[in-house]
Amino acid sequence: ENIDLGISKHKVKLYTYWIDLSKFKKIDNAKEKLGWKNKFIILFVGRLVIEKGVLELIAAAKLWKEKTTLAIAGNGPLEATVRSASKNNHYIKYLGSLTQEQLPLHYSGADLVIVPSS
């Protein structure tokens, strides 16, 4: 389709999805199932390390409005920092390490997925 629009075929590349699209499908009513109804959820899923931008996310979440929640899933060296931020700020929720089976529900329930890696 891009080539038909006049984009050079040398600029168009084919990429393979690295996830199982048969498992990662939208789940209806995910927000309700997770107890996230009436909240704007920003989801981070990844290793809890400095390079992933976790500290910047926590700092940014402190500036967000009440109806916005930062949900963080993962584990790693910054886990204690994330747990502490979650305990001290009701708008930051630490989900812990999620299984592959749990991820589709959480992705479906989120309004925005953020990947702030440097």
Side-chain angles (χ1 to χ4, degrees), residues 31-62:
K31 276 189 170 298
E32 290 80 9
K33 291 175 183 175
L34 291 166
W36 292 351
K37 191 174 181 180
N38 300 323
K39 292 183 182 178
F40 186 86
I41 302 295
I42 299 175
L43 177 66
F44 169 84
V45 177
R47 185 109 170 98
L48 304 181
V49 294
I50 290 173
E51 296 82 6
K52 296 284 185 171
V54 175
L55 298 178
E56 288 82 0
L57 278 178
I58 291 170
K62 293 177 182 178

Side-chain angles (χ1 to χ4, degrees), residues 3 10 15 38-39 48 51 53 58 67-68 83 91-92 103 107 110 117:
I3 294 170
H10 300 292
Y15 291 95
N38 300 323
K39 292 183 182 178
L48 304 181
E51 296 82 6
I58 291 170
K67 289 188 177 182
T68 301
R83 283 185 190 277
Y91 43 83
I92 298 174
L103 285 173
Y107 280 123
S117 300

Side-chain angles (χ1 to χ4, degrees), residues 15-107:
Y15 291 95
T16 303
Y17 286 109
W18 299 107
I19 60 170
D20 184 345
L21 294 176
S22 67
K23 292 181 183 177
F24 283 84
K25 292 185 176 184
K26 182 167 175 41
I27 298 172
D28 293 330
N29 301 318
K31 276 189 170 298
E32 290 80 9
K33 291 175 183 175
L34 291 166
W36 292 351
K37 191 174 181 180
N38 300 323
K39 292 183 182 178
F40 186 86
I41 302 295
I42 299 175
L43 177 66
F44 169 84
V45 177
R47 185 109 170 98
L48 304 181
V49 294
I50 290 173
E51 296 82 6
K52 296 284 185 171
V54 175
L55 298 178
E56 288 82 0
L57 278 178
I58 291 170
K62 293 177 182 178
L63 304 174
W64 296 338
K65 295 182 180 178
E66 289 292 317
K67 289 188 177 182
T68 301
T69 297
L70 171 63
I72 300 175
N75 60 24
L78 296 177
E79 186 173 340
T81 301
V82 174
R83 283 185 190 277
S84 176
S86 178
K87 287 180 184 174
N88 295 323
N89 303 285
H90 66 278
Y91 43 83
I92 298 174
K93 181 165 179 54
Y94 178 53
L95 305 172
S97 184
L98 300 177
T99 66
Q100 290 291 310
E101 292 76 26
Q102 293 171 310
L103 285 173
L105 178 64
H106 286 79
Y107 280 123

Side-chain angles (χ1 to χ4, degrees), residues 2-13:
N2 289 325
I3 294 170
D4 289 341
L5 293 173
I7 296 173
S8 168
K9 67 180 179 179
H10 300 292
K11 292 184 178 183
V12 177
K13 299 193 185 310

